[in-house]
Amino acid sequence: MLHHVELWVPDLAGAAGPWGWLLGELGWKPYQDWPGGRSWLCEGVYLVLEQSPALSGDVHDRLAPGLNHLAFNAGSRAEVDRLTTESADHGWALLFPDRHPRAGGPDSYAAYLEDAWGFEVELQSGKPE
């Protein structure tokens, strides 16, 4: 089982707003809070945002080797739609709007969102309508 995921961000205060909103909407609970980081916990797995002094850059490149995106089960299609609609007010941009919500293919119902630092999340409907 996955234990945790740690994302290094160049602006902890800026990233904590969009990520805190999204994770809260998905049922994650605040877990840890320290000067250089924040974390949220869900079903025994935690996600960390950390502004490390060892950062070598200030933007994540999801198209380079490494992490492309994190995918979350967002529940129903209606919940994916709600989160997609509200996400722009919380610092997220919709990727692939011309193919939304089928950017993952004809059998997929998902939103692909990107934060201001280039991190992508997929909000997948795990429940057929």
Side-chain angles (χ1 to χ4, degrees):
M1 173 184 249
L2 185 65
H3 187 269
H4 73 275
V5 173
E6 185 167 324
L7 301 177
W8 280 15
V9 297
D11 177 2
L12 179 61
W19 282 92
W21 170 79
L22 181 61
L23 293 171
E25 292 296 307
L26 294 171
W28 293 66
K29 305 293 182 204
Y31 180 49
Q32 299 164 316
D33 187 346
W34 66 100
R38 307 278 182 283
S39 70
W40 292 262
L41 180 68
C42 185
E43 298 180 12
V45 176
Y46 64 97
L47 189 143
V48 177
L49 297 182
E50 182 176 354
Q51 186 173 349
S52 171
L55 280 171
S56 64
D58 61 0
V59 176
H60 170 73
D61 183 355
R62 64 183 177 79
L63 301 178
L67 178 71
N68 177 264
H69 70 277
L70 295 175
F72 296 93
N73 183 340
S76 68
R77 291 178 180 188
E79 191 63 4
V80 169
D81 293 342
R82 181 187 71 79
L83 292 169
T84 302
T85 299
E86 294 179 12
S87 68
D89 292 335
H90 298 279
W92 295 96
L94 180 64
L95 295 170
F96 324 115
D98 59 321
R99 295 182 281 155
H100 173 75
R102 302 284 183 195
D107 296 328
S108 172
Y109 196 96
Y112 295 85
L113 306 175
E114 184 177 41
D115 74 5
W117 298 274
F119 287 98
E120 178 185 345
V121 296
E122 174 183 350
L123 303 179
Q124 179 72 44
S125 173
K127 299 177 184 175
E129 295 293 293

